[in-house]
Structures are given as structure tokens and as C-alpha cells.
């Protein structure tokens, strides 16, 4: 039971890092980016290819994956995403889902459709037993990295000048621009950072979740569940939703394997019936 709980927490923390960028773009920038998983896939492939073909150490690949996905987001944001910020959500959905299929086709053509194998360093392959609790070293590493990212992200959004400028830009772009805030640069930086987090999550999750060209489609629903259940007004909501989703998914597959993802969807429906706007919403407003 403790081992299942531990694995569920590790899985949930990984889902949080993968989905938090989507929570930021939906909640703070009001943009529904269904292509978020494509940036995660990019980070995963950057890591796997660097390790397989150039023998780059795993720990060196992680910041490279973050930087590569962030750079891709920064390049695509001005010509593709920025013109759609003020468009209806349906236009955003159709555009971003089109990007998903383009990304899948490109990866399938240039790299191939086979599942990628990532060889972890020896120090991450072990397992430690403490009583009835079995802790995989890699999952322990994931929890530590994701916890540090969570604290850092919360601090950036709540305590720094950039976080204040981002919230001001979201609330009223005209007033923010009148105060000297370069709204386009703020949105570009936010989008690039969210894409980088997705890339880092893809790099961390390649060994746990698997990696192939269909990655963005396979896990799109999980990203959306995390954001929908957690709400988009804070980091705390998606974090709690990801942990609940991770624990429910791992426990359900262990105890009731024939039910598959049914438990996850049931949990989502129950929570949304109780809190239609998500677990955490802005006071006096919607998520």
C-alpha cells in the first residue's frame, strides 16, 4: 500500500510538471493550447537522442531539454500563437490540435514510430526498501525535482516582479502597457517558460511514460484533467489534482486492472460535479 502511494505521488508530480505550463497559458493567458504535449514530446526526444547518439549524461540532458522546448516555444509564439490570443477558444483549439498532428507526422517521418528506450544512469536504477515501503531511486529523484520546481514556480508567480507584471498584463493589457510593461515580452517569456517546463517533464517522463510520436495525443486528456480538476487560478490546484490523479491511476491499475482509466474519469466527474470550476478558483470569479 505504501509503495503504491509512493509510486502514485511520483506519477502525480510528473503529471504536474507536464501540465503546469498548460495551466499557466489557460489560466493566466486565456489560451487553450492543446499542442502543449508536443513541447513535452520535444523535450523527451531531445533527451533520448542526446543520450543515445552523443552519450550526453542524463543530468546534462535535462536543462538542455528545458532550453530546447523553451526556445521552440519562443520561436513559435510570435508568428503562430500571438495572433490567436484574442480569437475565440474554438479557433485556438482547432489551431493547436492541428499543430499536434503536424508534430506527430514530423517526428514519425524523421525519427520513426518505434518506442524510444532511455537508459538511466546506474545510480537511478536501484530501489530502496524501508519496511513495507519500496522506493525506486528514479521515482524519488522525480519527486525531489518536481517539488523543487513547484516551490520555485510558486515563488516566481507570487513574489517576483515578473509575476506581478504577468498578472497585470492578464488583467488589463492596455493599462499594463500604459504603465510601461511590455506585454508582448511578458507573454512571450511566459509561453516559453511553460513550454520549457513541458519539455523538462517530457525528459523526466520518457522512461516512466514511454516515448513515441503519439505521445501528445495519448496524454492530452491527462493534462486537461489536471487543469480542469485543479483550476487555473493558482499552482496549488493543478498540483493537488495531479497528485489525486496519479494516486488514483496507479492504485486503480494495481487493484482493479480491468477497469483501466475508468477510476480516473470517475474521480474527475465526481470532483467537477462538486466543484465545477475546479478545486481552486479566484475569489469572486471563475477559474
Amino acid at each position: 500500500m505504501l509503495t503504491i502511494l509512493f509510486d502514485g505521488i511520483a506519477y502525480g508530480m510528473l503529471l504536474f510538471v507536464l501540465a503546469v505550463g498548460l495551466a499557466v497559458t489557460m489560466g493566466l493567458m486565456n489560451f487553450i493550447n492543446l499542442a502543449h504535449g508536443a513541447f513535452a514530446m520535444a523535450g523527451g526526444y531531445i533527451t533520448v537522442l542526446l543520450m543515445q547518439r552523443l552519450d550526453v549524461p542524463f543530468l546534462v540532458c535535462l536543462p538542455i531539454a528545458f532550453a530546447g522546448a523553451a526556445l521552440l516555444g519562443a520561436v513559435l509564439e510570435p508568428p503562430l500563437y500571438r495572433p490567436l490570443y484574442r480569437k475565440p477558444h474554438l479557433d485556438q483549439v482547432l489551431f493547436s490540435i492541428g499543430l499536434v498532428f503536424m508534430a506527430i507526422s514530423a517526428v514519425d517521418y524523421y525519427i520513426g514510430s518505434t518506442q524510444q528506450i532511455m537508459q538511466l544512469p546506474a545510480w537511478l536504477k536501484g530501489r530502496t526498501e524501508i519496511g513495507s515501503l519500496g522506493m525506486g531511486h528514479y521515482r524519488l529523484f522525480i519527486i525531489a525535482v518536481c517539488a523543487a520546481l513547484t516551490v520555485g514556480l510558486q515563488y516566481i508567480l507570487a513574489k517576483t516582479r515578473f509575476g506581478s507584471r504577468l498578472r497585470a498584463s492578464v488583467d488589463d493589457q492596455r493599462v499594463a502597457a500604459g504603465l510601461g510593461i511590455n506585454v508582448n515580452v511578458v507573454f512571450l517569456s511566459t509561453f516559453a517558460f511553460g513550454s520549457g517546463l513541458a519539455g523538462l517533464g517530457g525528459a523526466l517522463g520518457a522512461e516512466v511514460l514511454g516515448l513515441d510520436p503519439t505521445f501528445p495525443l495519448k496524454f492530452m486528456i491527462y493534462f486537461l484533467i489536471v487543469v480542469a480538476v485543479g483550476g487555473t487560478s493558482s499552482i496549488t490546484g493543478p498540483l493537488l489534482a495531479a497528485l489525486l490523479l496519479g494516486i488514483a491511476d496507479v492504485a486503480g491499475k494495481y487493484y482493479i486492472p480491468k477497469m483501466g482509466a475508468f477510476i480516473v474519469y470517475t474521480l474527475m466527474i465526481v470532483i467537477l460535479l462538486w466543484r465545477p470550476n475546479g478545486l481552486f478558483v479566484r475569489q469572486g470569479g471563475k477559474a
Side-chain angles (χ1 to χ4, degrees):
M1 183 66 186
L2 290 176
T3 301
I4 293 172
L5 180 63
F6 175 80
D7 288 345
I9 291 173
Y11 184 40
M13 293 293 279
L14 180 60
L15 287 177
F16 171 71
V17 174
L18 282 164
V20 69
L22 180 61
V24 170
T25 55
M26 284 184 64
L28 296 179
M29 299 171 65
N30 198 30
F31 187 92
I32 303 176
N33 181 25
L34 296 186
H36 186 74
F39 295 98
M41 179 176 68
Y45 271 101
I46 288 172
T47 301
V48 169
L49 295 179
L50 285 177
M51 292 179 68
Q52 287 181 350
R53 301 182 183 182
L54 299 177
D55 292 325
V56 178
F58 175 68
L59 291 182
V60 176
C61 290
L62 294 181
I64 296 177
F66 175 88
L71 179 62
L72 180 63
V75 169
L76 295 180
E77 193 270 350
L80 297 182
Y81 284 90
R82 189 175 298 170
L84 288 169
Y85 284 156
R86 298 178 182 273
K87 297 291 184 180
H89 286 161
L90 179 60
D91 292 357
Q92 298 172 0
V93 168
L94 292 175
F95 163 76
S96 56
I97 198 69
L99 283 184
V100 170
F101 287 110
M102 291 175 65
I104 291 173
S105 299
V107 172
D108 186 44
Y109 180 80
Y110 287 106
I111 300 178
S113 59
T114 57
Q115 185 91 3
Q116 297 297 315
I117 305 298
M118 188 171 74
Q119 294 295 331
L120 293 172
W123 58 277
L124 286 176
K125 291 181 178 179
R127 188 177 183 86
T128 299
E129 301 285 342
I130 302 177
S132 61
L133 173 60
M135 297 184 295
H137 292 172
Y138 186 57
R139 282 167 172 75
L140 196 59
F141 175 77
I142 288 176
I143 291 175
V145 172
C146 295
L149 286 173
T150 302
V151 174
L153 187 59
Q154 183 70 33
Y155 177 80
I156 290 172
L157 292 178
K159 302 294 185 180
T160 65
R161 179 176 295 180
F162 176 80
S164 300
R165 290 183 174 183
L166 175 59
R167 292 193 301 273
S169 300
V170 170
D171 289 339
D172 196 317
Q173 293 187 28
R174 277 173 131 185
V175 173
L179 293 172
I181 298 174
N182 191 327
V183 176
N184 288 336
V185 171
V186 170
F187 278 9
L188 172 63
S189 303
T190 304
F191 188 85
F193 187 71
S195 301
L197 286 176
L200 179 60
L204 289 169
E207 196 273 340
V208 177
L209 305 175
L211 184 66
D212 60 58
T214 63
F215 182 92
L217 279 180
K218 283 196 296 187
F219 293 97
M220 180 190 298
I221 186 66
Y222 282 86
F223 303 156
L224 292 174
I225 289 175
V226 169
V227 175
V229 171
T232 57
S233 62
S234 70
I235 300 301
T236 308
L239 173 61
L240 181 57
L243 290 174
L244 289 173
L245 174 62
I247 294 171
D249 194 45
V250 171
K253 289 176 180 176
Y254 181 83
Y255 288 112
I256 320 175
K258 292 184 179 180
M259 298 290 282
F262 181 77
I263 293 178
V264 172
Y265 299 135
T266 302
L267 180 63
M268 177 194 70
I269 292 171
V270 170
I271 293 176
L272 290 179
L273 286 174
W274 170 49
R275 304 275 292 182
N277 294 322
L279 294 174
F280 289 83
V281 296
R282 293 189 183 96
Q283 192 171 12
K286 294 182 178 181

